[in-house]
């Protein structure tokens, strides 16, 4: 059997489709990824991996030297016959691996030039490819000067992103400088790769935008055709429509194809599919970007349906060393295809209607609606914010486009402002929707500037007074959905230092479950009393055994108790999902899409991973700062130890902590955490837990740095201080927890 290595994938259609095509060529597929969960979270993703991937290797994929040992290990028994990627962020590393293995691949220098927009612009300028006027800049000051030189309004964008991430149309030199500063505040791009030190300030080109799909094979370039597109967004560039083949006049279609080939020759892209974006300006077609990979956004599917070809299969065969057929393309297109993307007003989804009517229209092949009632729709800033799509195929491109547009009109996604709360039928309905409070940071943390803007999300407004209400509800519902629990019967078991247990106990009481909570014997008396008042059975373990002892006993109780469900919050993906679906969207909505830094304490890591991932997807330049105890600095590379900040790590990094999201880790001592907690009460009237004091102290550390002046910092205070009165009443640091 042929062995194919695939390095990461995109999430917009062609990536998953490519896995299927490779597998159907009777290949063994080994998939290399640093974050499998991002694929499994896509609707239908788990099914693709189950059917079309034989082996998954979890490893660092951004760095050639770190990836290579894993590639050699995976190919030791059966060497690879091909190695490729289905994602733009990984094209350079994949080419380096294939070249190292002596396998067919696109030229490393060519794909590296195409991938880096600053290098691509310079090469095209040298060789006379029509492009907009541009400047490569490194600092906000350089950006301000460049904006005036290229003319306003202008486009500011990073050199190393895709899917319109961080691409902005700015009206003033000051806005150009601010946007460059925002992008430069993160050392890594959206996929955790070291950021290129240059950004682009470019002439804004007016006119229709199209893309050209080209297959390269050495010095041979096959233009599959031109795709019409619609791009909208106030200051952003979001694609809302694709139609193939283009309905432009034939001479203009040929000119776009010629420009795409000229650009690919210039950079040296010589194997596989490329997606070349072109603007039709008053002075003729000009190059927008070269994307050195097959098109996303279902464009490859449109091409295949219209032409009667299998473009991704052609690429797979190229990488397997097989020659292209001659001719590659049919003489005449067999039809047309179009996709129209769905949008909705930002807010919480109330209802979704019209799917069946849209799907019933002749020619409609796909109707995908992402939001569901209760979820939150973001402001339209990048392609990932679209709400779904409708895809249609017909005898002509014009008919396909009209059909897709008619189908979109059948679909209604009704939203309401996130802040609006209906009358609740139960306490469960009140989980989430917690407020943000602007903190007087200079009165709370010594050295913090008076103009620091720190917004704290107060999770004590949840019905059981902590952020764990969200995770507990999501995990319990997940267990019920999978048939592990049936409301009215069964036993909920969890090992926890307190807050998760309180939330689970309350929810178990509401749903008629028996609840057993196992926790170390140094948990605060207030927490234990609350657990028992909610009807939970409390089982204590010696704190000298750490959290591990509590987990081991909970596991034993689970084995001995028929019909029980062991929550396992540190391994439960529903923990992270709760914050991705609620906490992150609430923050994004409440700040109006303006957040520069998200500061979050790390216990299970569910809040940081869920809310942080949502914010990162909404605004790739947001900086995510993790807070951990100085006595157990695991994320900082230190050793586990005792500490006095309840809710922070128990001596290990939980699997639910997505470390790749973290830009910086700040450690906080027990003394600083306690002192800040007390000062929050005395100077802001805010009773919060010790972990809340720790994150506010970290916010003060950040706000005091010159580079954070004028930045909006958002943090989350996980619970109420009423559960720690015994600790807060003493001026000395409490005994440590593990």
């Amino acid at each position: 059997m042929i062995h194919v290595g695939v390095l990461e994938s995109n999430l917009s259609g062609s990536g998953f489709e490519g896995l299927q095509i490779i597998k159907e060529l009777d290949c063994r597929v080994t998939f290399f990824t640093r974050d499998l969960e991002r694929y499994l979270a896509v609707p239908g993703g788990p099914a693709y991996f189950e059917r079309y991937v034989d082996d998954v290797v979890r490893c660092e994929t951004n760095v050639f030297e770190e990836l290579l040992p894993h590639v050699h290990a995976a190919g030791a028994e059966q060497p690879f016959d091909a190695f490729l990627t289905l994602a733009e962020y990984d094209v350079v590393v994949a080419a380096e691996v294939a070249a190292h293995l002596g396998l067919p691949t696109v030229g490393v220098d060519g794909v590296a030039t195409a991938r880096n927009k600053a290098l691509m612009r310079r090469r095209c300028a040298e060789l006379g490819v029509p492009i907009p006027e541009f400047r490569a800049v490194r600092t906000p000051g350089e950006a301000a000067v460049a904006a005036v030189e290229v003319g306003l309004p202008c486009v500011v964008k990073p050199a190393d992103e895709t899917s319109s991430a961080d691409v902005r149309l700015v009206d003033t030199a000051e806005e150009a400088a601010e946007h460059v500063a925002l992008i430069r505040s993160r050392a890594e791009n959206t996929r955790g790769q070291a950021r290129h030190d240059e950004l682009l300030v470019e002439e804004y080109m007016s006119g229709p935008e199209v893309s050209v799909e080209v297959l390269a094979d050495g010095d041979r370039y096959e233009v599959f055709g031109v795709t019409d597109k619609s791009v909208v967004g106030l200051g952003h560039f979001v694609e809302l429509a694709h139609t193939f083949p283009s309905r432009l006049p034939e001479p203009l279609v040929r000119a776009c194809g010629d420009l795409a080939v000229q650009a690919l020759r210039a950079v040296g892209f010589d194997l596989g599919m490329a997606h070349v974006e072109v603007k039709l300006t008053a002075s003729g077609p000009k190059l927008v970007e070269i994307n050195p990979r097959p098109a996303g956004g279902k464009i490859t599917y449109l091409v295949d349906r219209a032409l009667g070809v299998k473009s991704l299969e052609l690429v797979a065969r190229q990488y397997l060393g097989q020659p292209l057929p001659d001719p590659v393309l049919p003489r005449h297109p067999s039809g047309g295809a179009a996709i129209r993307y769905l949008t909705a007003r930002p807010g919480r989804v109330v209802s979704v209607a019209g799917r069946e009517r849209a799907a019933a229209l002749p020619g409609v092949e796909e109707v995908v609606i992402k939001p569901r009632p209760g979820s939150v729709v973001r402001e339209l800033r990048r392609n990932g914010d679209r709400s779904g799509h409708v895809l249609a195929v017909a005898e002509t491109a014009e008919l396909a486009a009209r059909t897709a547009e008619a189908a979109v009109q059948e679909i209604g996604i009704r939203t309401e402002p996130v802040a609006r709360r209906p009358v609740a039928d139960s306490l469960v309905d009140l989980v989430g929707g917690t407020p943000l409070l602007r903190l007087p940071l200079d009165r709370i943390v010594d050295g913090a500037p008076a103009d620091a803007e720190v917004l704290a999300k107060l999770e004590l407004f949840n019905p059981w007074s902590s952020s764990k209400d969200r995770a507990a509800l999501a995990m319990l519902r997940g267990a019920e959905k999978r048939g592990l629990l049936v409301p009215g019967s069964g036993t909920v078991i969890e090992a926890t230092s307190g807050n998760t247990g309180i939330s689970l106990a309350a929810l178990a009481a509401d749903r008629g479950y028996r609840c057993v909570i196992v926790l170390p014997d140094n948990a605060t008396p207030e927490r234990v009393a609350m657990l028992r008042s909610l009807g939970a059975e409390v089982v204590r373990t010696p704190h000298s055994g750490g959290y591990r002892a509590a987990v081991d006993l909970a596991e034993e109780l689970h084995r001995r108790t028929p019909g029980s469900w062991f929550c396992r919050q540190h391994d439960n993906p529903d923990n992270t999902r709760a914050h991705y679906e609620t906490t992150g969207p609430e923050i994004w909505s409440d700040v109006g899409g303006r957040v520069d830094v998200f500061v979050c304490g790390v216990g299970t890591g569910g809040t940081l991973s869920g809310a942080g991932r949502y914010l990162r997807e909404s605004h790739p330049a947001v900086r995510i700062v993790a807070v951990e105890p100085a006595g157990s600095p695991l994320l900082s590379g230190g050793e586990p130890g005792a500490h006095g900040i309840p809710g922070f790590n128990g001596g290990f990094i939980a699997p639910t902590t997505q470390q790749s999201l973290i830009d910086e880790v700040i450690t906080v001592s027990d003394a600083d955490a306690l002192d800040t907690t007390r000062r929050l009460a005395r100077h802001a009237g805010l009773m919060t837990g010790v972990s809340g004091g720790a994150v506010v102290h970290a916010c003060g550390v950040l706000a005091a740095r010159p580079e954070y002046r004028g930045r909006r910092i958002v943090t989350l205070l996980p619970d109420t201080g009423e559960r720690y009165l015994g600790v807060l009443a003493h001026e000395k640091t409490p005994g440590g927890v593990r």
Side-chain angles (χ1 to χ4, degrees):
M1 179 179 285
I2 299 169
H3 192 188
V4 177
V6 178
L7 180 67
E8 303 288 6
S9 171
N10 68 47
L11 302 176
S12 61
S14 59
F16 289 143
E17 183 185 353
L19 292 175
Q20 178 180 352
I21 286 171
I22 294 170
K23 185 62 182 174
E24 290 176 349
L25 290 175
D26 197 25
C27 298
R28 172 187 170 191
V29 178
T30 298
F31 190 80
F32 295 84
T33 180
R34 69 200 300 261
D35 184 8
L36 180 63
E37 284 67 30
R38 64 190 294 268
Y39 302 103
L40 301 183
V42 175
Y48 267 90
F49 274 78
E50 182 177 347
R51 295 172 188 167
Y52 307 123
V53 175
D54 298 284
D55 305 289
V56 174
V57 178
R58 294 176 183 248
C59 61
E60 176 56 63
T61 58
N62 284 333
V63 182
F64 170 74
E65 292 78 10
E66 296 185 32
L67 170 64
L68 197 58
H70 298 280
V71 173
H72 284 307
E77 180 181 341
Q78 182 184 1
F80 287 104
D81 298 287
F83 197 93
L84 69 156
T85 183
L86 299 168
E88 181 165 336
Y89 287 100
D90 307 281
V91 290
V92 177
V93 174
E96 289 176 329
V97 171
H100 173 82
L101 298 177
L103 300 172
T105 187
V106 64
V108 175
D109 290 342
V111 79
T113 302
R115 174 75 187 101
N116 185 314
K117 295 178 177 62
L119 298 180
M120 178 270 292
R121 281 279 184 256
R122 290 194 184 95
R123 182 69 56 82
C124 288
E126 291 169 3
L127 297 179
V129 178
I131 58 174
E133 187 174 354
F134 76 97
R135 300 288 187 276
V137 302
R138 288 183 170 85
T139 68
E142 291 177 0
V145 173
V148 174
E149 291 177 348
V150 303
L152 292 164
C154 64
V155 176
V156 179
K157 62 185 178 184
D160 51 7
E161 292 284 11
T162 186
S163 299
S164 302
D166 271 343
V167 180
R168 285 294 309 276
L169 178 66
V170 300
D171 294 315
T172 67
E174 292 75 16
E175 288 180 359
E178 289 173 2
H179 193 53
V180 165
L182 189 61
I183 297 172
R184 291 302 302 269
S185 67
R186 284 192 62 230
E188 297 177 340
N189 65 20
T190 302
R191 286 290 299 276
Q193 299 166 334
R195 173 141 270 166
H196 184 61
D197 64 350
E198 290 182 310
L199 297 90
L200 290 175
V201 178
E202 297 186 342
E203 168 195 1
Y204 172 63
M205 299 184 290
S206 296
E209 186 172 327
V210 300
S211 64
V212 187
E213 322 311 327
V214 184
L215 182 67
D217 191 63
D219 196 45
R220 176 185 177 188
Y221 293 89
E222 296 279 353
V223 178
F224 278 45
V226 172
T227 305
D228 291 335
K229 66 166 64 175
S230 173
V231 180
V232 300
L234 297 174
H236 303 274
F237 298 85
V238 182
E239 297 178 5
L240 289 186
H242 299 136
T243 304
F244 186 91
S246 173
R247 295 168 286 177
L248 293 172
E250 184 58 32
L252 200 49
V253 169
R254 284 198 303 271
C256 292
D258 292 343
L259 172 58
V261 171
Q262 182 186 3
L264 293 174
R265 289 187 191 276
V267 301
F269 183 86
D270 58 4
L271 189 76
M273 289 287 291
H275 174 65
V276 183
E277 296 172 342
V278 174
K279 207 68 173 279
L280 305 176
T281 72
S283 56
K286 288 187 178 181
L287 177 69
V288 177
E289 287 182 2
I290 296 173
N291 297 285
R293 41 76 180 172
K298 305 287 288 187
I299 290 177
T300 54
Y301 186 86
L302 303 184
V303 171
D304 291 355
R305 294 293 279 114
L307 297 182
V309 298
K310 293 184 178 180
S311 54
L312 293 178
E313 181 178 327
L314 291 172
V315 174
R317 291 188 182 278
Q318 281 184 299
Y319 275 81
L320 289 169
Q322 300 175 13
L324 291 177
D326 192 14
V328 172
L329 300 177
R331 289 181 178 273
H332 303 287
S334 59
I339 189 169
R340 295 295 182 266
Y341 288 94
L342 304 175
T343 62
R345 191 182 300 275
R348 194 177 304 280
V349 177
V350 176
S351 63
V352 177
R355 181 197 302 267
E356 293 75 15
R357 292 193 303 272
L361 290 176
V364 171
E365 292 197 351
E366 287 185 7
V367 177
V368 174
I369 304 175
K370 293 194 298 184
R372 59 181 183 271
S375 64
V376 174
V377 174
R378 292 183 284 223
E379 182 182 352
L380 196 63
R381 289 173 174 252
R382 55 181 303 190
N383 290 345
D385 297 329
R386 299 175 303 206
S387 296
H389 69 262
V390 173
L391 190 151
V393 176
E395 293 81 3
T396 66
E398 178 67 28
L399 180 55
R402 296 295 296 274
T403 301
E405 290 160 5
V408 167
Q409 294 301 314
E410 297 291 343
I411 297 170
I413 303 173
R414 190 163 65 88
T415 63
E416 64 182 9
V418 171
R420 180 181 171 189
R421 297 295 296 263
V423 175
D425 293 319
S426 75
L427 285 173
V428 170
D429 296 332
L430 298 179
V431 173
T434 57
L436 282 173
L437 175 70
R438 182 174 284 105
L439 298 179
L441 197 66
D442 58 318
R443 304 209 310 261
I444 299 167
V445 180
D446 292 337
D451 61 351
E453 186 178 22
V454 175
L455 309 180
K457 191 165 181 61
L458 305 184
E459 291 296 278
L460 60 88
F461 281 84
N462 278 300
W464 298 289
S465 304
S466 87
S467 61
K468 296 300 184 180
D469 289 0
R470 302 174 186 265
L473 180 60
M475 291 186 290
L476 202 64
R477 282 176 169 167
E480 292 171 347
K481 182 178 180 180
R482 289 185 284 274
L484 302 176
L485 279 173
V486 178
S489 64
T491 302
V492 174
I493 298 175
E494 179 61 326
T496 169
S497 60
N499 278 336
T500 302
I502 291 170
S503 300
L504 283 172
L507 289 165
D510 179 68
R511 281 166 151 72
Y513 299 123
R514 175 190 174 211
C515 184
V516 179
I517 301 298
V518 184
L519 73 170
D521 59 14
N522 62 345
T524 62
E526 296 89 350
R527 293 191 187 198
V528 174
M530 285 196 68
L531 287 168
R532 287 177 172 154
S533 69
L534 289 167
E537 300 170 34
V538 178
V539 180
R540 313 295 290 275
T541 58
H543 68 269
S544 59
Y547 181 71
R548 184 71 255 171
V551 171
D552 290 344
L553 181 55
E555 183 68 58
E556 181 182 346
L557 291 173
H558 172 52
R559 288 196 303 268
R560 297 195 329 234
T561 308
S564 65
W565 167 66
F566 185 12
C567 178
R568 295 186 180 92
Q569 60 175 318
H570 292 86
D571 297 281
N572 195 322
D574 290 329
N575 177 1
T576 301
R577 182 176 59 80
H579 297 288
Y580 180 81
E581 293 184 351
T582 67
T583 312
E586 288 172 20
I587 291 172
W588 182 253
S589 176
D590 288 346
V591 300
R594 209 203 118 211
V595 52
D596 300 314
V597 190
F598 178 53
V599 178
C600 189
V602 179
T604 68
T607 306
L608 180 140
S609 301
R613 181 160 67 90
Y614 185 93
L615 294 174
R616 176 65 52 78
E617 291 175 359
S618 301
H619 179 35
V622 69
R623 189 166 180 81
I624 296 176
V625 178
V627 183
E628 67 176 353
S632 189
L634 303 181
L635 294 171
S636 305
E639 296 296 321
H643 66 85
I645 308 178
F648 276 14
N649 77 64
F652 64 98
I653 299 175
T656 41
T657 302
Q658 188 176 343
Q659 296 183 67
S660 62
L661 286 170
I662 300 172
D663 294 302
E664 180 181 355
V665 180
I666 294 179
T667 59
V668 177
S669 69
D670 295 351
D672 283 337
L674 276 167
D675 178 64
T676 307
T677 304
R678 295 187 181 109
R679 295 180 72 167
L680 277 165
R682 294 170 183 170
H683 301 296
L686 181 58
M687 289 291 295
T688 186
V690 182
S691 60
V695 297
V696 172
H697 179 84
C699 290
V701 171
L702 290 175
R705 297 178 186 171
E707 63 267 29
Y708 282 89
R709 295 301 294 271
R711 300 291 176 84
R712 174 178 280 178
I713 300 172
V714 177
T715 192
L716 180 142
L717 308 186
D719 61 1
T720 174
E722 295 174 358
R723 294 172 186 174
Y724 308 90
L725 290 175
V727 170
L728 297 174
H730 296 85
E731 292 298 325
K732 293 183 179 179
T733 300
V737 299
R738 291 188 65 87

